[in-house]
Amino acid sequence: QGSTSRKHEPDRFRRTTDDGCPRKPEDALDGAGGQAVAINVAIDLKQGVQGAGPRKWLAQEVKPRLQDKMWDDLILADAGRTWGLPLSVFSDDIKDYFNTIPLHPAEYWKECLVWSAAERLDPWGGGAIEGAAVRERAASFVSEHRLSFGITISSNVGQRAAELYLAIFRRRFDLEERDYFEAVLDSSTGHCAGAGLKDGLTRRSDRLTGACRWIARRRTLSRAT
């Protein structure tokens, strides 16, 4: 385990775990002569997906593109004009994102590190005076309980987790939005209550306001897709 400098913040280091270790597996043998296998070697991103198709490392993650962002903004801006609301956009970054994702307890044994022997204080050790504290050198062990930087699939796991968070957010947002839209335009009776005085001024001969027409169009598209 060690650290590496960040691409955009070279003076701020990130803790990393070398899951490609041992680098010389032929020298890393157990008592029975078995060879130690590195975590990244066992993951084997160079292997084909289910024995066929592109190799794992060529199956790139699906991340938002600039054109995706522009398309989403176009749809939201149209809704904003209808409802008389501004379109606000913000972005954020999760610090040390991988380390915020917990490992399943079944994975702990794979991320246990042996630290070099360090001097420690043994308060119960015997010394010149019985019971006096003594200093001795002993090996230390580090058990990683969080997804670490250095595992070849960390980025993929992190991306999947982010998609899960967004899916939960969208589901909850849709539930709140559904109740509000239902109050504006009753899906059973077709009654259009409108979305305030300003929206009421857009009511046409079909008795629908601009907001009601927008909701009706959205419901139609939802059923079609």
Side-chain angles (χ1 to χ4, degrees):
Q1 193 174 60
S3 62
T4 55
S5 61
R6 301 165 190 263
K7 181 178 180 180
H8 300 293
E9 298 175 277
D11 296 330
R12 190 163 74 92
F13 287 78
R14 172 185 286 127
R15 180 171 58 85
T16 59
T17 302
D18 184 7
D19 283 275
C21 185
R23 297 296 175 177
K24 295 182 179 180
E26 65 277 4
D27 297 331
L29 306 176
D30 61 17
Q35 197 174 83
V37 179
I39 298 295
N40 287 343
V41 172
I43 293 172
D44 193 10
L45 284 184
K46 298 299 177 75
Q47 179 184 1
V49 179
Q50 296 181 350
R55 296 183 183 274
K56 295 177 183 177
W57 65 280
L58 290 178
Q60 297 182 359
E61 302 161 17
V62 179
K63 294 184 177 181
R65 300 166 299 175
L66 180 60
Q67 54 265 44
D68 298 327
K69 176 68 169 58
M70 294 175 66
W71 181 250
D72 289 344
D73 286 350
L74 179 66
I75 296 173
L76 293 173
D78 176 67
R81 284 190 294 271
T82 300
W83 295 83
L85 298 173
L87 174 60
S88 301
V89 180
F90 67 92
S91 63
D92 201 356
D93 180 63
I94 302 177
K95 182 180 180 182
D96 298 328
Y97 177 48
F98 294 168
N99 298 147
T100 67
I101 302 175
L103 292 178
H104 189 280
E107 302 294 320
Y108 288 171
W109 68 275
K110 300 177 185 177
E111 289 295 294
C112 187
L113 311 170
V114 181
W115 202 257
S116 60
E119 188 178 81
R120 72 180 181 90
L121 183 65
D122 182 5
W124 308 107
I129 302 176
E130 186 175 353
V134 298
R135 294 185 179 277
E136 63 178 17
R137 298 187 66 81
S140 300
F141 298 88
V142 177
S143 179
E144 285 271 22
H145 290 186
R146 298 278 165 171
L147 188 65
S148 62
F149 293 87
I151 305 177
T152 54
I153 60 170
S154 289
S155 179
N156 186 275
V157 172
Q159 181 68 29
R160 290 171 181 269
E163 293 292 345
L164 174 61
Y165 303 150
L166 289 174
I168 294 173
F169 170 79
R170 294 188 186 105
R171 189 178 299 118
R172 292 182 177 178
F173 194 90
D174 286 345
L175 290 175
E176 294 189 16
E177 188 180 65
R178 183 189 63 187
D179 294 339
Y180 178 69
F181 286 170
E182 190 66 24
V184 175
L185 177 61
D186 192 300
S187 59
S188 300
T189 65
H191 173 68
C192 172
L197 295 176
K198 188 175 180 180
D199 182 51
L201 299 175
T202 64
R203 195 179 298 273
R204 294 180 181 176
S205 58
D206 58 4
R207 297 185 179 183
L208 295 180
T209 65
C212 289
R213 284 191 294 274
W214 189 89
I215 294 174
R217 185 169 67 250
R218 184 177 184 274
R219 288 172 177 169
T220 301
L221 290 173
S222 296
R223 287 192 294 268
T225 59

